Each structure stands twice: as structure tokens, then as C-alpha cells.
Amino acid sequence: MDREPDIGAVRAYWESRPLGSLEVAAEPGTPAFFEYFNRIREQDEGLFARSIYEFDRHAGQRVLDIGCGNGWLVENFARGAARTTGIDLTRAAVKLTRSRLQLSELSATLLVGNAERLPFDDESFDFVTSSGVLHHTPNTEQAMAEAVRVIRRGSGGMIALYYRHFLLKPSIWPITRFFVRLLFAAVPGRNDFGKVASPEDLVRLYDGNENPIGRAYDRRAFLNMLPGCRVDRVELHFFPTRFLFRSPPPMWVRRLLDRWLGLLIYVRFTKL
């Protein structure tokens, strides 16, 4: 049996392929790069999921974004006057986030670090977020525990992971696989969708052909990783309509796909 990739493999992959670089033609770190990425992020997620982050309701609070990528969340929280910290496993991500903040004339604390061993004291933050990140680390449960550890009691966070919804169930998977192979084989940087073999392949390949780790969780498995927390909201979001349509479909279609076929499960919670 093959060994699961370790944190070094995860770091190496994301150092060489920072968030957005698979399909944004512009040079990473340039204004054109961030402009294009922001547009597709808003189309895929921000339009429908923005309210669950509450970017404008954390002014003066200590906010941590785990796995800051190219800084989309860090910028939004900083713009809302939060005392924002971004951490990522890779230097490439921290460099991109720093460039984004400079272009936006905003500031935040940025550092390189492992989500499974956060370099912060217990109860250091008023709000912790991590969107589409912790399913890529070898020990997701440990990373979730670390996220909760650094939240102040009575405060909370929002974490989003890939969702194992009904289309990934064994009885439905052959149909899902057929349509994934048919419709998504030409997605930039993800052409291995054309030979996807399993639900695990699907969530791994979404982030690139060579992405070493990707997992999906159903609601129960997700909530089991949040002991000692009260769940406040659970929502599905994030469907890349741009992969299916040449131009944005009607809003009702986008909303339907986002709500029922969203790739991520978002959980808002409070630490008790």
C-alpha cells in the first residue's frame, strides 16, 4: 500500500503552484493576476458565501486566516479593520499575500507555518477562518484541533472543507464520474479530470493534476472534528459555473448550483 504524501510533498506542490496560478494567465503578484482571481473568486463563492464570513463585523478583533493562499480573505478582513494575521505553509503564498496588501494599501501580519502546529498561544484570536485548505494537509483532524485551540472561548470561527455530498455516494458515483469526465476534461491545469477514478480523485484533482492530497467530508465527519464547539450555521457553497458555461448563466441557475451542488461545506461555530 502506498504511503500518503507527507507535509513536505504538500509544501512542494503549493510552492510551485500557488493559488490561482493554474488558470490565471497573468504573472502571479501583478495587479492583473489579483484582478482576474478576484473576479472568479467572487463569481464562484463571494457572491453567495460572503455573509458567512462577516468581513465587516470583526473591526478591532484579532482574526487569523489559516492557509492564506494569495490573500483574498486576508485582504477582505483587513479592509473591514480587523487585526488580521495570515499564515500559510508556503513562502510563495505569503509573498503573494504581501503583494496583494501592498497594492491595496492594507496591512496584516503574515508568516509561514504549518496548520497542524500553529505557532500561537491558546486563545490568541477572536475569530479564525480557513476556507478550502485543511483538507489538503496530511492530518486534517489535528489541523482542525489547532484552529479551535487558538480561538478565545466564547468566540468562534468559520471553516470550509470539501463536501462529500450525494453525488459522491457509491450508488451515484458512476453517473457523476461519467459527467465529470465528459464536461471537465479540458479545465485548465486539471485535464486529468478526464480519467478521474474515484471521489477522492475528484476532490484532489480540483486543485491540480499533481496535487498530493484532497479529501471530502460529510456533515457528521466535519462536526466530529469540532468537539467543545457550538455549531451556528452550516451552508454549502462554491460551484465553478465558469467550467460549464462560456458566459455566466442566469442568477437563478448560479444560485441553484451553489446551494445544491456546492463543493464546500461551510461551518460557523463558537468555542464553548
Side-chain angles (χ1 to χ4, degrees):
M1 181 176 178
D2 293 338
R3 294 179 59 186
E4 183 175 74
D6 61 15
I7 198 71
V10 175
R11 180 185 293 109
Y13 176 77
W14 290 100
E15 286 282 13
S16 63
R17 300 167 184 83
L19 183 63
S21 62
L22 287 179
E23 59 186 288
V24 180
E27 180 69 20
T30 63
F33 173 86
F34 292 119
E35 180 181 352
Y36 188 92
F37 180 86
N38 290 352
R39 185 163 64 250
I40 62 175
R41 182 74 181 249
E42 288 291 342
Q43 179 181 323
D44 288 349
E45 180 201 29
L47 183 65
F48 304 107
R50 183 171 287 274
S51 66
I52 204 167
Y53 292 108
E54 299 180 339
F55 293 125
D56 59 346
R57 299 185 64 177
H58 299 284
Q61 294 184 356
R62 298 161 297 174
V63 172
L64 172 66
D65 179 32
I66 303 172
C68 59
N70 66 44
W72 187 79
L73 288 176
V74 170
E75 178 184 0
N76 277 281
F77 281 112
R79 197 174 295 282
R83 296 158 54 194
T84 310
T85 298
I87 188 170
D88 198 279
L89 184 63
T90 70
R91 296 183 183 279
V94 169
K95 181 180 179 180
L96 275 177
T97 301
R98 184 171 292 114
S99 296
R100 173 189 283 274
L101 293 174
Q102 289 172 348
L103 289 168
S104 302
E105 299 183 343
L106 296 168
S107 63
T109 300
L110 303 174
L111 63 158
V112 176
N114 184 349
E116 296 180 15
R117 297 191 301 274
L118 293 175
F120 308 112
D121 293 335
D122 295 354
E123 303 189 32
S124 297
F125 295 93
D126 301 298
F127 189 80
V128 170
T129 188
S130 184
S131 183
V133 173
L134 301 185
H135 45 230
H136 292 307
T137 195
N139 192 336
T140 298
E141 186 172 358
Q142 173 64 25
M144 294 279 284
E146 280 288 276
V148 173
R149 178 183 67 79
V150 301
I151 298 172
R152 181 170 56 83
R153 291 187 184 278
S155 295
M158 199 296 298
I159 294 176
L161 301 175
Y162 281 135
Y163 181 53
R164 184 177 289 275
H165 52 54
F166 70 96
L167 291 177
L168 302 185
K169 291 184 177 180
S171 59
I172 303 296
W173 170 246
I175 299 173
T176 303
R177 181 179 58 197
F178 171 80
F179 281 103
V180 167
R181 289 176 171 180
L182 178 67
L183 298 172
F184 294 98
V187 173
R190 305 156 169 108
N191 56 300
D192 274 1
F193 271 144
K195 53 186 179 183
V196 64
S198 67
E200 290 71 27
D201 271 348
L202 178 61
V203 296
R204 181 182 62 81
L205 290 170
Y206 182 82
D207 291 286
N209 295 339
E210 306 302 323
N211 177 32
I213 298 176
R215 303 189 191 90
Y217 297 87
D218 61 22
R219 179 184 175 121
R220 177 178 294 180
F222 192 135
L223 300 187
N224 282 343
M225 293 189 287
L226 292 172
C229 296
R230 182 187 72 233
V231 174
D232 302 315
R233 291 170 66 182
V234 179
E235 299 178 9
L236 297 186
H237 295 293
F238 201 87
F239 187 90
T241 54
R242 68 187 186 282
F243 293 169
L244 294 179
F245 303 94
R246 292 183 179 274
S247 58
M251 184 58 67
W252 69 269
V253 173
R254 296 168 66 183
R255 190 176 300 279
L256 185 68
L257 291 171
D258 175 82
R259 189 56 54 92
W260 291 102
L261 297 180
L263 299 179
L264 296 175
I265 178 172
Y266 295 68
V267 177
R268 278 290 301 264
F269 60 92
T270 299
K271 181 177 178 178
L272 302 177

